[in-house]
Amino acid sequence: IVYLWPDKIRRRGEPPIVLRLLEFHDGRRSMWLATNVLDSKQLTPRAVREIYRRRWGVNAPVYIYFFTQAGLPVFSAVRR
C-alpha cells in the first residue's frame, strides 16, 4: 500500500489517495504498477499483467481522465 498526497489535496485537509503497488517482470525488466483497486481478489496480479500487456499508447492524463470518469481502476507504471 502506498499513499499519494498531492499538496492541493493536503492543503484542503483531504486524506491521501490510497494505492496498491504491484511489481511484475515483463521478461526484460521490472515493472511497478499502482492501482486504486486495493482488493487483490477483485484485481489479481495476473489480471494486472494482462491489462498492462494489452495497454495502448495514449497520453497519461487522457487515460487517467477517462478511466476516472468511467469509474474504472486507474493504473500507473514506472520502469526501474
Side-chain angles (χ1 to χ4, degrees):
I1 299 293
V2 294
Y3 298 92
L4 176 63
W5 209 358
D7 286 339
K8 188 175 182 179
I9 291 174
R10 185 181 46 77
R11 283 193 296 264
R12 290 193 307 232
E14 295 179 29
I17 300 165
V18 181
L19 301 168
R20 187 171 112 214
L21 188 62
L22 300 161
E23 178 186 16
F24 69 93
H25 304 277
D26 69 356
R28 295 180 293 154
R29 60 188 172 261
S30 292
M31 301 296 295
W32 293 84
L33 293 148
T35 177
N36 61 346
V37 179
L38 303 179
D39 184 354
S40 62
K41 291 178 183 165
Q42 184 181 3
L43 184 64
T44 66
R46 178 183 227 161
V48 171
R49 281 193 301 274
E50 184 61 22
I51 291 167
Y52 185 76
R53 189 180 69 75
R54 293 179 180 212
R55 75 193 184 283
W56 63 95
V58 297
N59 192 319
V62 173
Y63 174 85
I64 291 169
Y65 173 78
F66 284 112
F67 272 62
T68 301
Q69 294 301 310
L72 297 171
V74 178
F75 300 94
S76 175
V78 176
R79 293 182 182 171
R80 283 192 166 204

